[in-house]
Amino acid sequence: MLAETICSAASAAGLGIAAITAYRKRFLTATRIAAYSLVPLGLVLTGVVEWVSGIAFKPSVWIGFGVLGLSWLLFMTTRAIERRSGTTRAERRAARAAERNEAVAPGASTPSLGAGSSVGQARPAAGGAAAKSKKKQEAAAPADDFSDIEAILKKHGI
């Protein structure tokens, strides 16, 4: 009851100030003041003020706010721990995507295949030849890395 009276008085005072402002030929400002002063009266007439005052004095409502606060605190704590560990959901998703899709050099003539999946290629007959081809692959690996970089630079005109 007291809250409704205070809101009605605030609206009446605001409308009085709006009338004085309009008398001074500042109609835009007067209209804005009138709009703001009608908000408390509208809240009283819709019952929002009574609802808020009913909520403010119930202990069960304050317990509910405490539970919501605890929930928020737990959520923010887990987020902070997740950030400190350096593994976010996006990073884990990117790692899974990288495992599925192996990178292929943009300038490569053939797609790179994993070890043991050479279809249609002849295997070296002797162990010495296999060791030599392995050394060649190891020596060629850094050049493959630079070919990726060169392709990117050429693409951007550098």
Side-chain angles (χ1 to χ4, degrees):
M1 180 84 178
L2 181 62
E4 288 88 358
T5 305
I6 292 172
C7 286
S8 299
S11 290
L15 289 174
I17 293 170
I20 293 170
T21 307
Y23 179 75
R24 292 182 183 171
K25 306 225 187 249
R26 301 172 92 190
F27 298 111
L28 185 63
T29 306
T31 306
R32 191 170 292 134
I33 291 171
Y36 281 124
S37 66
L38 289 174
V39 169
L41 185 62
L43 291 175
V44 167
L45 292 175
T46 58
V48 172
V49 173
E50 183 180 340
W51 177 72
V52 169
S53 64
I55 286 177
F57 299 114
K58 288 184 181 176
S60 61
V61 173
W62 288 106
I63 291 171
F65 282 127
V67 169
L68 287 174
L70 178 65
S71 172
W72 178 81
L73 181 68
L74 291 172
F75 178 69
M76 296 311 281
T77 302
T78 58
R79 293 287 303 251
I81 291 171
E82 189 176 58
R83 285 185 185 153
R84 277 186 103 186
S85 67
T87 58
T88 62
R89 182 179 299 153
E91 289 175 351
R92 290 190 300 264
R93 188 177 300 145
R96 273 186 263 136
E99 288 175 1
R100 276 187 254 131
N101 302 331
E102 292 185 20
V104 176
S109 60
T110 60
S112 59
L113 298 174
S117 62
S118 57
V119 178
Q121 293 180 354
R123 291 187 179 172
K132 288 180 184 178
S133 66
K134 188 174 182 181
K135 287 181 183 177
K136 282 185 180 180
Q137 287 177 354
E138 288 175 1
D144 289 341
D145 292 339
F146 291 118
S147 67
D148 294 345
I149 295 170
E150 288 175 2
I152 293 170
L153 292 174
K154 286 179 184 178
K155 181 179 177 183
H156 292 288
I158 299 174

Coordinates of all heavy atoms in Angstrom, one line a residue, residues 5 11 31 37 39 42 44 48 57 61 64 68 75 84 87 91 94 102 108 113 122 142-143 148:
T5 N 1.4 4.2 -3.1 CA 1.2 5.7 -2.8 C 2.5 6.5 -3.2 O 2.3 7.5 -3.8 CB 0.9 5.9 -1.3 OG1 -0.2 5.1 -0.9 CG2 0.6 7.3 -1.0
S11 N 4.8 9.9 -9.8 CA 4.2 10.2 -11.1 C 3.6 11.6 -11.2 O 3.7 12.3 -12.2 CB 3.2 9.1 -11.5 OG 3.8 7.9 -11.7
T31 N 7.9 16.2 -23.0 CA 7.3 14.9 -23.4 C 8.1 13.8 -22.8 O 7.6 12.8 -22.3 CB 7.3 14.8 -24.9 OG1 6.6 15.9 -25.4 CG2 6.6 13.5 -25.4
S37 N 7.8 9.9 -16.1 CA 6.9 10.0 -14.9 C 5.7 9.0 -14.9 O 5.2 8.7 -13.9 CB 6.5 11.4 -14.7 OG 5.6 11.8 -15.7
V39 N 5.8 5.9 -15.9 CA 6.3 4.5 -15.7 C 5.9 4.0 -14.3 O 5.3 2.9 -14.2 CB 7.8 4.4 -16.0 CG1 8.3 3.0 -15.5 CG2 8.1 4.6 -17.5
G42 N 2.2 3.3 -14.2 CA 1.9 2.1 -15.0 C 2.3 0.8 -14.2 O 1.6 -0.2 -14.3
V44 N 2.3 0.4 -11.0 CA 1.3 0.3 -9.9 C 0.0 -0.3 -10.5 O -0.6 -1.3 -9.9 CB 1.0 1.6 -9.2 CG1 -0.2 1.5 -8.3 CG2 2.2 2.0 -8.4
V48 N 2.7 -4.8 -10.8 CA 4.1 -5.2 -10.7 C 4.7 -4.8 -9.3 O 5.5 -5.5 -8.7 CB 5.0 -4.6 -11.8 CG1 6.4 -4.8 -11.6 CG2 4.5 -5.2 -13.2
F57 N 9.8 -9.6 0.7 CA 9.6 -9.9 2.1 C 9.4 -11.4 2.4 O 9.0 -11.7 3.5 CB 8.5 -9.0 2.7 CG 8.8 -7.6 2.6 CD1 8.0 -6.7 1.8 CD2 9.9 -7.0 3.3 CE1 8.3 -5.4 1.7 CE2 10.2 -5.6 3.1 CZ 9.4 -4.8 2.4
V61 N 12.0 -16.6 -1.1 CA 12.6 -16.0 -2.3 C 14.0 -15.7 -2.1 O 14.8 -15.9 -3.0 CB 11.8 -14.7 -2.5 CG1 12.4 -13.9 -3.6 CG2 10.3 -15.0 -2.9
G64 N 16.0 -18.7 -2.6 CA 16.1 -19.0 -4.0 C 17.2 -18.1 -4.7 O 18.0 -18.6 -5.5
L68 N 20.6 -19.5 -6.6 CA 21.0 -19.0 -7.9 C 22.4 -18.4 -7.9 O 23.2 -18.6 -8.8 CB 20.0 -17.9 -8.4 CG 18.7 -18.4 -8.9 CD1 17.7 -17.2 -9.2 CD2 18.8 -19.3 -10.1
F75 N 29.5 -22.2 -11.6 CA 29.7 -22.1 -13.0 C 30.9 -21.2 -13.4 O 31.7 -21.6 -14.2 CB 28.4 -21.4 -13.7 CG 28.6 -21.3 -15.2 CD1 28.6 -22.4 -16.0 CD2 28.7 -20.0 -15.7 CE1 28.7 -22.2 -17.4 CE2 28.8 -19.8 -17.1 CZ 28.8 -20.9 -17.9
R84 N 42.4 -21.8 -17.0 CA 43.8 -22.0 -16.5 C 44.4 -23.2 -17.1 O 45.6 -23.2 -17.3 CB 43.8 -22.1 -15.0 CG 43.7 -20.8 -14.3 CD 43.8 -21.0 -12.8 NE 45.2 -20.6 -12.4 CZ 45.7 -20.8 -11.2 NH1 44.9 -21.3 -10.3 NH2 46.9 -20.4 -10.9
T87 N 42.6 -25.8 -21.8 CA 41.8 -26.7 -22.8 C 40.4 -26.2 -22.7 O 39.7 -26.4 -21.8 CB 41.9 -28.1 -22.4 OG1 41.4 -28.3 -21.1 CG2 43.3 -28.7 -22.5
E91 N 39.1 -25.7 -28.3 CA 40.4 -26.3 -28.6 C 40.3 -27.8 -28.7 O 40.9 -28.4 -29.6 CB 41.4 -26.0 -27.4 CG 41.8 -24.5 -27.4 CD 42.7 -24.2 -26.2 OE1 42.8 -25.0 -25.3 OE2 43.3 -23.1 -26.2
A94 N 38.8 -28.5 -32.1 CA 39.8 -28.3 -33.1 C 40.8 -29.5 -33.2 O 41.2 -29.9 -34.3 CB 40.5 -27.0 -32.9
E102 N 43.8 -34.9 -42.2 CA 45.3 -34.7 -42.3 C 45.5 -33.6 -43.3 O 44.9 -33.6 -44.3 CB 46.0 -36.0 -42.7 CG 45.9 -37.1 -41.6 CD 46.8 -38.3 -42.0 OE1 47.6 -38.2 -42.9 OE2 46.5 -39.3 -41.4
A108 N 51.1 -29.8 -53.5 CA 51.5 -31.2 -53.7 C 50.8 -31.8 -54.9 O 49.7 -31.5 -55.2 CB 51.1 -32.0 -52.5
L113 N 49.7 -39.9 -48.1 CA 49.0 -41.0 -47.5 C 49.8 -41.4 -46.3 O 51.0 -41.2 -46.2 CB 49.0 -42.2 -48.5 CG 48.2 -41.9 -49.8 CD1 48.4 -43.1 -50.7 CD2 46.8 -41.8 -49.5
A122 N 54.8 -50.3 -55.6 CA 55.7 -51.5 -55.3 C 56.5 -51.3 -54.1 O 57.0 -50.2 -53.8 CB 56.6 -51.7 -56.5
P142 N 61.7 -31.7 -44.6 CA 61.8 -30.3 -44.4 C 61.4 -29.5 -45.6 O 60.8 -28.4 -45.6 CB 63.2 -30.0 -43.9 CG 63.7 -31.3 -43.4 CD 63.0 -32.3 -44.2
A143 N 61.8 -30.0 -46.8 CA 61.4 -29.3 -48.0 C 59.9 -29.3 -48.2 O 59.4 -28.3 -48.8 CB 62.1 -30.0 -49.2
D148 N 54.8 -25.9 -48.4 CA 53.5 -25.3 -47.9 C 53.6 -23.8 -47.7 O 52.7 -23.1 -48.1 CB 53.1 -26.0 -46.6 CG 52.8 -27.5 -46.7 OD1 52.6 -27.9 -47.9 OD2 52.8 -28.2 -45.7

